[in-house]
Amino acid sequence: MITRTSRAPKRIAATAAAVAMVGSALAFSGTAVAGPGAAAPTSERLSGDNRYGTAADVADEITDVSTITVANGEVQFGGADGLASAHLDNAILLTQADALPAETVAWLTANNAEVANIQIVGETTAVSAAVATQLAAFGTVERLGGDNRYETAVEIAESESPETTEIIIARGDDFPDALASGPLSIAADAPIILNAGVALRPEVTAYLDANSQITTAYIAGGTTAVPATVEAELEANGITVERLGGLNRDETAVEIANELQTLGDYDDGVILANRLKFADAMVAGPLGGERTYPILLVAETSIPAATATYHVDNCATIAEIVAVGGPAVIDDSV
């Protein structure tokens, strides 16, 4: 097993209030909007020829890669085991179930001197024993995985933050809310616990029963994603609940971004991820923690209203916009 040094949550005083909204023209403009007297933000694209290359490009931006995370990036897995992995606060590389992609091998080879530990998230159906053997050539391998994504999220929580008092509850059968929660999970030292349905799943109930020190839960998503019955069940267990949710995934990402501003300097930049493509959003969580940027959602060729409004509200302080994924994921016009 890998021994990890516990990370203290960031609790920095909130920055100055965002400037008042000046309009919604950003949603339809190809030109970056700057606040009064502010320079236009710079833009950066982190991408490869595919999701595996994009993950490697994002990993290049993470300062400490002595420990990395490896998760399945295939469409049929839908990011299942990787949904909660941002909390590990490592660069995330993606793999296929039965073979390491060339892009992942190339990154590991180039960074072999720095990588010491590799955490696989998910059981052998998601990341096979053969892949684990391949990874062992690059570092000491630890597997965090249960029989399903819900157990895997619990394994991550118990490994990284065994004494946490805060958690994030997010929908486990769809990805956007959980993945937008990545920077918040790191900033608040709050593991992402996945749930689905109108009640707490048995895996979540067992986790809470074994961790009576947990007193606070963020809910990521509106009541369609995490029903009010789940919120009531948490409160009945003596847990104080704060819901960060809007009418859709875009609004929820903005609510999470606003909460981040109460925890630290999270208004200097933003990360853009495609609202329908899980792989690029999945690897962006640790980057958000590294740069203290929230993850906002966009479509391939357009900007949702909630994302545009956040940008206008914060245009006096946003200095950088980072797009994760190639032009087929986020078009240059966005």
Side-chain angles (χ1 to χ4, degrees):
M1 297 290 289
I2 298 171
T3 301
R4 300 290 301 278
T5 301
S6 61
R7 297 180 175 91
K10 300 174 185 175
R11 295 289 185 183
I12 309 167
T15 56
V19 296
M21 187 173 74
V22 296
S24 58
L26 176 65
F28 310 102
S29 172
T31 303
V33 175
T42 60
S43 62
E44 178 182 13
R45 183 186 294 276
L46 300 175
S47 68
D49 291 338
N50 53 38
R51 63 190 62 194
Y52 307 105
T54 293
D57 204 28
V58 173
D60 282 337
E61 301 298 313
I62 304 300
T63 302
D64 181 2
V65 293
S66 57
T67 299
I68 63 165
T69 299
V70 174
N72 188 294
E74 296 176 283
V75 174
Q76 60 265 41
F77 284 88
D81 294 307
L83 285 174
S85 64
H87 185 66
L88 294 170
D89 200 9
N90 305 319
I92 300 172
L93 297 179
L94 301 181
T95 186
Q96 297 165 337
D98 297 316
L100 282 176
E103 295 84 356
T104 303
V105 172
W107 189 93
L108 288 166
T109 301
N111 293 275
N112 194 31
E114 294 182 67
V115 175
N117 306 308
I118 299 170
Q119 292 180 308
I120 295 172
V121 291
E123 273 301 339
T124 53
T125 52
V127 181
S128 68
V131 169
T133 299
Q134 284 183 276
L135 289 169
F138 300 99
T140 301
V141 174
E142 175 190 12
R143 187 184 292 272
L144 299 173
D147 290 338
N148 53 46
R149 66 192 68 186
Y150 307 99
E151 288 187 5
T152 294
V154 167
E155 287 278 337
I156 290 169
E158 292 178 334
S159 171
E160 183 69 9
S161 300
E163 298 179 359
T164 187
T165 60
E166 298 181 324
I167 59 172
I168 298 170
I169 299 288
R171 183 174 180 173
D173 57 356
D174 201 3
F175 72 89
D177 299 332
L179 299 188
S181 299
L184 177 62
S185 177
I186 294 167
D189 193 29
I192 299 170
I193 302 299
L194 302 178
N195 197 69
V198 297
L200 291 174
R201 287 181 58 92
E203 300 91 342
V204 180
T205 299
Y207 170 72
L208 293 175
D209 287 345
N211 290 274
S212 58
Q213 81 281 359
I214 294 172
T215 58
T216 304
Y218 294 102
I219 289 180
T223 54
T224 300
V226 180
T229 49
V230 172
E231 182 175 354
E233 193 172 349
L234 289 166
E235 291 174 336
N237 280 280
I239 295 174
T240 300
V241 175
E242 180 178 359
R243 185 181 290 272
L244 304 174
L247 296 177
N248 53 46
R249 59 188 62 186
D250 315 310
E251 291 185 7
T252 292
V254 167
E255 288 293 320
I256 293 168
N258 289 335
E259 180 65 21
L260 279 166
Q261 290 194 25
T262 73
L263 301 182
D265 296 317
Y266 273 83
D267 59 352
D268 296 333
V270 297
I271 296 170
L272 303 182
N274 188 303
R275 63 200 301 278
L276 298 176
K277 304 287 180 69
F278 78 88
D280 301 306
M282 184 163 67
V283 302
L287 180 65
E290 174 92 2
R291 297 194 183 183
T292 59
Y293 292 177
I295 297 172
L296 300 180
L297 303 180
V298 295
E300 180 183 336
T301 59
S302 63
I303 306 172
T307 303
T309 298
Y310 179 90
H311 186 100
V312 172
D313 283 349
N314 293 277
C315 62
T317 58
I318 292 174
E320 184 179 37
I321 299 169
V322 182
V324 178
V329 175
I330 299 175
D331 189 75
D332 286 338
S333 62
V334 174

